[in-house]
């Protein structure tokens, strides 16, 4: 699978239920290869493997994933922590079987670069900041998708 990394989580650790007293490490990222299709990728393993893999690429890089395990996603649980994707599946990386290689999008496919700035939600499923200001009272307590641009960053 070749795609553009459009999102990435930080490395996290959890107590390992099988080996009491040890930790398992994980992080996930989302790749996209067309305007319509994107999928979440999750990796679990030893701290050294997970940290090294996480540091090997960043959002905006093109990656090639070899030998991932394809799993059905548990929509309700998975989508609390990852972007909602159009696929019923996720990719799982294994330290022993999977390989992730980074490459320049210019070397792979320049069309992939345009995918970085496309929203992952339906364009009709957003509220503008103006809508929220004007209708804030009626929207109270609802979960909304907001599409906005950062105009400035300061301390």
């Amino acid at each position: 699978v070749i795609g553009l990394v459009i999102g990435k989580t930080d490395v996290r650790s959890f107590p390992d239920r099988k080996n009491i007293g040890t930790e398992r490490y994980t992080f996930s990222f989302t790749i996209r290869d067309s305007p319509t299709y994107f999928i979440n990728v999750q990796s679990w393993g030893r701290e050294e493997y997970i940290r090294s893999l996480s540091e090997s690429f960043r959002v905006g890089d093109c990656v090639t994933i070899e030998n991932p395990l394809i799993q059905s996603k548990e929509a309700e649980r998975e989508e609390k922590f990852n972007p909602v994707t159009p696929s019923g599946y996720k990719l799982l990386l294994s330290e022993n079987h999977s390989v992730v290689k980074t490459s320049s999008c210019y070397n792979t496919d320049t069309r992939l670069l345009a995918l970085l700035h496309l929203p992952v939600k339906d364009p009709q499923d957003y509220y503008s900041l103006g809508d929220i200001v004007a209708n804030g009272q009626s929207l109270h307590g609802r979960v909304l998708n907001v599409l906005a641009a950062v105009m400035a960053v300061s301390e």
Side-chain angles (χ1 to χ4, degrees):
V1 177
I2 297 173
L4 178 74
V5 178
I6 62 170
K8 185 175 163 189
T9 67
D10 292 329
V11 172
R12 298 182 318 259
S13 67
F14 297 92
D16 188 339
R17 290 185 219 152
K18 292 179 183 174
N19 298 314
I20 306 301
T22 62
E23 305 255 318
R24 289 185 71 202
Y25 287 77
T26 185
F27 86 102
S28 59
F29 58 100
T30 305
I31 61 168
R32 181 178 225 164
D33 67 357
S34 75
T36 310
Y37 296 106
F38 48 98
I39 193 165
N40 292 320
V41 183
Q42 190 165 35
S43 184
W44 288 86
R46 297 175 305 111
E47 180 178 13
E48 300 79 26
Y49 167 71
I50 295 298
R51 290 200 187 280
S52 173
L53 181 60
S54 175
E55 292 168 3
S56 71
F57 62 89
R58 61 181 198 254
V59 171
D61 286 347
C62 289
V63 294
T64 301
I65 300 173
E66 298 175 0
N67 297 324
L69 178 64
I70 300 168
Q71 288 187 328
S72 295
K73 68 180 177 184
E74 300 168 40
E76 201 167 292
R77 194 181 83 169
E78 310 255 345
E79 293 176 347
K80 279 184 182 177
F81 306 106
N82 295 303
V84 177
T85 63
S87 172
Y89 302 95
K90 67 178 178 179
L91 302 180
L92 187 63
L93 301 181
S94 158
E95 181 173 0
N96 296 326
H97 303 342
S98 306
V99 175
V100 177
K101 299 176 184 173
T102 60
S103 61
S104 166
C105 287
Y106 294 108
N107 295 341
T108 308
D109 187 345
T110 55
R111 292 174 294 179
L112 288 174
L113 285 175
L115 302 176
L116 186 59
H117 302 293
L118 287 180
V120 293
K121 291 279 195 176
D122 177 350
Q124 306 304 312
D125 191 25
Y126 290 106
Y127 282 85
S128 69
L129 295 176
D131 290 340
I132 294 170
V133 170
N135 303 303
Q137 194 63 27
S138 65
L139 300 174
H140 183 73
R142 291 187 50 201
V143 175
L144 306 174
N145 293 318
V146 177
L147 181 60
V150 177
M151 290 178 53
V153 177
S154 63
E155 289 186 26

